[in-house]
Amino acid sequence: MTLDETPATPVAPTMRRLLGIGIDWILCLLVSSAFFADPALDPGVATLPERVLLAGAPFATLGVWAAQHLLLVATLGTTIGHRVMGLRVIREDGASFVGPVKALIRTALLALVIPAVVWGPDGRGLHDRLAGTRIVRTGAAA
């Protein structure tokens, strides 16, 4: 399939994708706060939500997010946030699993943010186009 062809499987709605990544990010904030405390945060001044969600070092949070995204998309085709929102990442070539190479490309580009906010006419982000993947609603023909 070329980039100009109409996809056989519709792209997942943008709001579902944003909510899915939001869920993943919150879970990663929790892990980062629990295991990678930011020394700049004063626990005596921080509120409870800040201590629970924002106590982790920012790059540790990004690293936790990248690791979980890479592992889960490569093996299961879905992150926790994707699953909650009824989404799945599939390969353009129809292979059963996304696999580590395509998941790595997708994860690295998502971590850069810019490719994720540059969309084509079909609603797919540049990260999905370059990785040869697409995110679809669960139950859609893969």
Side-chain angles (χ1 to χ4, degrees):
M1 172 184 285
T2 66
L3 296 178
D4 296 328
E5 291 179 13
T6 303
T9 307
V11 175
T14 302
M15 187 53 66
R16 281 184 180 264
R17 291 185 282 169
L18 291 174
L19 289 171
I21 200 165
I23 291 167
D24 288 335
W25 192 257
I26 288 170
L27 292 172
C28 293
L29 284 169
L30 290 169
V31 171
S32 177
S33 293
F35 297 104
F36 306 102
D38 186 353
L41 183 73
D42 182 2
V45 177
T47 65
L48 179 62
E50 289 172 337
R51 287 193 308 265
V52 171
L53 290 174
L54 304 177
F59 281 110
T61 304
L62 181 60
V64 170
W65 175 85
Q68 68 85 26
H69 191 273
L70 174 62
L71 180 66
L72 294 176
V73 169
T75 58
L76 302 175
T78 183
T79 66
I80 295 167
H82 288 154
R83 179 153 299 199
V84 168
M85 296 311 300
L87 302 174
R88 180 162 190 223
V89 179
I90 61 170
R91 285 175 57 148
E92 283 289 298
D93 62 10
S96 301
F97 292 99
V98 175
V101 173
K102 292 203 181 277
L104 178 63
I105 294 167
R106 188 175 195 280
T107 300
L109 291 171
L110 269 173
L112 292 174
V113 179
I114 298 300
V117 297
V118 176
W119 297 333
D122 62 355
R124 287 173 58 215
L126 186 58
H127 63 291
D128 275 327
R129 287 177 165 274
L130 294 174
T133 59
R134 80 175 48 249
I135 188 164
V136 296
R137 291 188 66 170
T138 305

